[in-house]
Amino acid sequence: MQDTASREQEPEAASAEEEGVYALNSAFVQQVIDALDDARDEAVYDLVQPLHAADMGDLLGLLSGRQRGQLLDILGPRLDPLVFPELDEDLRDQIVARMSPEALAAAVAAL
């Protein structure tokens, strides 16, 4: 019976992915942390690239300072500038202070 239940749930998960619906959960956050800890930059990018700006802001707030720095290094100028309004003011200031002038200029220009 568990096989039937598993098969019934799989299409729903695939459907949500196809629609671009993403939400943070502890398993997803742990996947990102594991990939960061293992220095799997491409895997990290593949995981976070489809996130909506609000979800990316939440993720940045959940990571440690070191992990956040790693993620920002991976994203560089590809960080969606729409993330900035989603961030707590203190976190936004920390991220802006860490960004290269080029990445910050690109983010401001995109707003």
Side-chain angles (χ1 to χ4, degrees), residues 18-95:
E18 290 170 5
E19 292 177 19
V21 177
Y22 296 93
L24 295 184
N25 60 48
S26 59
F28 176 82
V29 173
Q30 191 59 53
Q31 281 184 304
V32 173
I33 290 171
D34 290 344
L36 287 167
D37 289 345
D38 295 341
R40 294 182 286 130
D41 294 358
E42 284 186 43
V44 171
Y45 182 76
D46 290 344
L47 285 167
V48 303
Q49 185 274 331
L51 289 177
H52 294 114
D55 291 331
M56 179 65 81
D58 290 344
L59 177 63
L60 287 166
L62 292 170
L63 298 175
S64 71
R66 179 187 58 80
Q67 294 162 340
R68 187 179 311 117
Q70 287 176 276
L71 180 56
L72 292 171
D73 288 344
I74 291 166
L75 294 175
R78 298 177 293 186
L79 178 64
D80 183 349
L82 295 177
V83 170
F84 291 101
E86 303 295 335
L87 298 171
D88 170 84
E89 185 177 345
D90 291 335
L91 182 56
R92 183 174 46 243
D93 290 346
Q94 291 173 18
I95 290 172

Side-chain angles (χ1 to χ4, degrees), residues 5-27:
S6 295
R7 281 184 286 209
E8 289 175 5
Q9 290 178 355
E10 287 177 20
E12 290 178 24
S15 175
E17 271 188 38
E18 290 170 5
E19 292 177 19
V21 177
Y22 296 93
L24 295 184
N25 60 48
S26 59

